């Protein structure tokens, strides 16, 4: 694993803030078990029969997450049947952002009819293990004989403001490459969004 730079968004620029451990391309992702909005618990190992997983750290309140919400839904609709379902994780501390409470997560998932799990990282351990810094922050994992290997890290596409103006669909292109047994290119991009709200960094 390598150190990944924490950043904040100022205008159109990303400014380094601090360093955190996180996954790099080629790393094996550790299993986790988190509570879903339907009160069940979901683990990465639940997807051992899939080709991989599109894992996205996202939330309710962030305008970037809201802008990308429908695109996340579309990723699941497009690729779940091909073996790459979406798993969404809400990493923020609800005490800092009430809109991201578990109850509000349940409401949001029901309103938007999420076809994928929407999990809460209550101990804020999973997002740190991945090295996620923003919402949304996307990781595409490939199932290699039961080990989930990180193959893409970053953003969903190159235009959060307007989907009609998107020129590069990084996430979709990465999955397509993996389905063809190719290496995603690029396999890393900068995640643009709101910084994750951590109870230890108030």
């Amino acid at each position: 694993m390598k150190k990944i730079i924490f950043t904040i968004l100022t205008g159109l620029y990303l400014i380094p803030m601090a360093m955190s451990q996180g996954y790099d391309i080629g790393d094996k992702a550790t299993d986790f078990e988190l509570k879903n909005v339907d009160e069940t618990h979901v683990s990465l190992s639940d997807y051992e029969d899939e080709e991989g997983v599109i894992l996205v750290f996202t939330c309710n309140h962030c305008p970037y997450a809201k802008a990308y919400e429908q695109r996340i839904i579309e990723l699941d609709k497009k690729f779940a049947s091909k073996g790459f379902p979406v798993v969404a994780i809400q990493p923020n501390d609800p005490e800092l952002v009430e809109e991201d409470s578990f109850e509000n997560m349940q409401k949001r998932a029901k309103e938007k009819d999420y076809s994928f799990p929407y999990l809460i990282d209550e101990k804020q351990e999973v997002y740190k293990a991945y090295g996620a810094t923003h919402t949304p922050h996307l990781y595409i994992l490939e199932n290699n004989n039961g080990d989930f290997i990180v193959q893409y890290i970053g953003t969903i596409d190159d235009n959060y403001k307007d989907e009609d103006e998107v020129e590069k669909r990084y996430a979709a292109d990465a999955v397509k490459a993996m389905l063809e047994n190719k290496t995603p290119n690029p396999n890393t991009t900068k995640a643009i969004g709101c910084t994750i709200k951590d109870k230890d960094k108030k």
Side-chain angles (χ1 to χ4, degrees):
M1 295 192 299
K2 73 173 185 179
K3 291 184 176 180
I4 292 181
I5 297 175
F6 271 75
T7 58
I8 59 172
L9 191 69
T10 303
L12 295 177
Y13 300 93
L14 290 170
I15 301 175
M17 288 293 289
M19 302 294 284
S20 173
Q21 293 295 324
Y23 293 138
D24 197 358
I25 300 301
D27 284 345
K28 174 184 173 181
T30 303
D31 199 8
F32 57 75
E33 183 177 284
L34 299 175
K35 186 167 67 171
N36 189 17
V37 289
D38 65 0
E39 303 283 355
T40 64
H41 284 76
V42 173
S43 300
L44 192 56
S45 57
D46 293 338
Y47 295 86
E48 62 183 2
D49 294 330
E50 302 288 354
E51 297 293 324
V53 170
I54 302 171
L55 189 85
V56 58
F57 292 92
T58 188
C59 66
N60 286 9
H61 88 278
C62 174
Y64 296 88
K66 291 178 179 178
Y68 273 119
E69 183 178 36
Q70 189 58 41
R71 278 173 265 185
I72 293 170
I73 292 171
E74 292 303 320
L75 281 172
D76 189 64
K77 288 181 178 179
K78 185 171 185 177
F79 293 113
S81 63
K82 298 179 181 180
F84 279 88
V86 165
V87 175
I89 299 177
Q90 196 292 100
N92 291 324
D93 180 2
E95 291 187 7
L96 299 179
V97 188
E98 196 278 333
E99 190 175 345
D100 290 334
S101 71
F102 185 68
E103 292 75 17
N104 284 325
M105 288 173 59
Q106 290 177 309
K107 291 178 183 177
R108 189 65 179 173
K110 185 175 181 180
E111 287 171 0
K112 298 297 291 186
D113 193 24
Y114 284 178
S115 55
F116 47 83
Y118 189 24
L119 314 177
I120 184 165
D121 188 4
E122 292 180 290
K123 295 182 179 180
Q124 297 194 296
E125 294 175 345
V126 177
Y127 97 79
K128 291 174 184 174
Y130 277 77
T133 57
H134 293 75
T135 52
H137 204 151
L138 188 136
Y139 294 74
I140 301 179
L141 315 177
E142 184 175 36
N143 185 355
N144 183 5
N145 296 318
D147 292 335
F148 285 88
I149 309 300
V150 180
Q151 298 289 2
Y152 174 84
I153 303 171
T155 189
I156 294 168
D157 57 42
D158 65 352
N159 195 323
Y160 80 90
K161 293 181 180 179
D162 187 350
E163 185 177 6
D164 292 335
E165 296 298 322
V166 169
E167 295 182 0
K168 296 179 180 179
R169 300 184 182 276
Y170 300 117
D173 289 346
V175 176
K176 289 176 183 177
M178 293 164 67
L179 288 170
E180 296 174 359
N181 295 315
K182 297 178 181 178
T183 300
N185 183 23
N187 57 13
T188 59
T189 56
K190 287 184 178 180
I192 304 298
C194 303
T195 53
I196 292 173
K197 307 304 184 286
D198 193 298
K199 59 187 174 185
D200 295 327
K201 299 172 184 175
K202 291 187 280 188

